[in-house]
Amino acid sequence: MIDDRAARSTDRGMTSGGRQPDHNLARQLSDMARSLQQAPGLDRTLDAIVHAAVVNIPGATYAGISRIDRRRRITTPAATDPTVRRIDEVQYRTGEGPCLDAIREQLTVRVDDLRVDPRWPAFAGAAADLGILSMLAVQLYVHADDLGALNLYSADAAAFDDRDEQIGLLLASHASIAMIGAEENQQLRAAMTHRDVIGRAEGILMERHKITAQQAFGLLVHASQDRNRKLHDIAEEFVTTGVDPAE
């Protein structure tokens, strides 16, 4: 089921000037939203999002996604150019920058000229040296403990305007929903794969030891607890190598 917070993100999101996005524009982006939701797999979905951002926001030279997961690790899982990852690494290393503010403060951050903006002294100079002068960062509403930002980068100063912010907000809303759907599908496929491997391991144990399914499952559980490893890892190792987990 889709997270309600993501579904309501167009209502909650505002531009840096406090304005709501244009809902006529939202209708114009509906085709793009459907294409994002149809992208197969999480990685393909993320790639589709960043490329859609560059196509739909004229001022954007590059685009990327930053994510903070449940373990509080921040990464850049999708980017349209290696420059994005180099710039993001500066933000992560210094602990400051537009995308981090967008994630932490749940707001849209627009930077007209990093050469003169005083908000991130440790980050701004390095970004300008890498050829980026302006940025637009919009928070992605993913899950309560798993947040991110859609980040746009331009080699020109003052590359983004109010309309770009509105498009960014709407794209981030649709992207959040598409990302959640892709993650849920990925988790479902993994669960089905794990269940199949465990079932195969049970069948082999039942045949080998002439025991019931419940007893075979108990052997796998005992091995998992004894070795402090996940149950499906124990099952997969047994199916692959034939080495009995009871041994």
Side-chain angles (χ1 to χ4, degrees):
M1 182 176 178
I2 293 174
D3 192 321
D4 287 341
R5 293 189 351 140
R8 294 195 305 265
S9 59
T10 43
D11 295 328
R12 296 179 54 189
M14 290 187 178
T15 68
S16 59
R19 289 177 292 278
Q20 294 281 357
D22 180 355
H23 292 289
N24 289 327
L25 181 60
R27 287 192 292 272
Q28 295 172 16
L29 293 176
S30 61
D31 288 341
M32 180 196 65
R34 284 193 292 272
S35 68
L36 287 178
Q37 291 174 323
Q38 292 169 359
L42 180 58
D43 291 341
R44 292 282 297 275
T45 299
L46 296 178
D47 285 338
I49 290 168
V50 295
H51 283 91
V54 172
V55 169
N56 286 278
I57 299 179
T61 306
Y62 312 123
I65 288 176
S66 297
R67 295 190 69 189
I68 298 179
D69 64 22
R70 292 174 178 83
R71 297 182 181 180
R72 312 316 296 167
R73 297 175 302 187
I74 185 165
T75 60
T76 302
T80 60
D81 189 88
T83 302
V84 171
R85 300 186 191 279
R86 291 196 289 269
I87 292 173
D88 285 354
E89 182 54 38
V90 176
Q91 294 190 83
Y92 306 157
R93 186 176 67 250
T94 61
E96 65 178 41
C99 82
L100 297 181
D101 282 3
I103 293 172
R104 293 166 178 164
E105 306 299 327
Q106 301 185 17
L107 45 74
T108 299
V109 180
R110 188 168 91 189
V111 189
D112 289 332
D113 194 335
L114 284 163
R115 295 169 298 185
V116 297
D117 198 302
R119 287 176 286 182
W120 313 283
F123 163 74
D129 289 342
L130 288 169
I132 297 301
L133 299 184
S134 56
M135 288 182 61
L136 178 63
V138 184
Q139 188 190 50
L140 290 172
Y141 297 93
V142 184
H143 293 292
D145 297 321
D146 187 0
L147 301 174
L150 173 63
N151 307 308
L152 307 171
Y153 312 78
S154 179
D156 300 320
F160 304 108
D161 58 20
D162 290 347
R163 183 172 176 79
D164 293 331
E165 288 195 27
Q166 292 182 349
I167 296 173
L169 284 166
L170 293 167
L171 179 58
S173 173
H174 294 310
S176 296
I177 296 171
M179 287 169 64
I180 291 170
E183 286 184 324
E184 289 179 347
N185 288 336
Q186 188 176 65
Q187 291 166 2
L188 179 59
R189 287 194 298 269
M192 292 176 66
T193 300
H194 293 164
R195 185 174 63 183
D196 179 62
V197 169
I198 292 170
R200 290 169 59 193
E202 287 178 350
I204 296 171
L205 287 170
M206 290 168 65
E207 176 64 25
R208 179 177 296 184
H209 298 293
K210 308 304 179 186
I211 57 178
T212 67
Q214 184 175 0
Q215 290 170 325
F217 183 73
L219 287 176
L220 293 171
V221 170
H222 179 76
S224 172
Q225 294 172 340
D226 188 55
R227 303 175 194 179
N228 194 28
R229 294 178 59 193
K230 293 181 178 179
L231 180 63
H232 66 81
D233 288 340
I234 294 290
E236 185 172 15
E237 182 180 81
F238 172 51
V239 170
T240 302
T241 66
V243 177
D244 200 311
E247 299 174 0

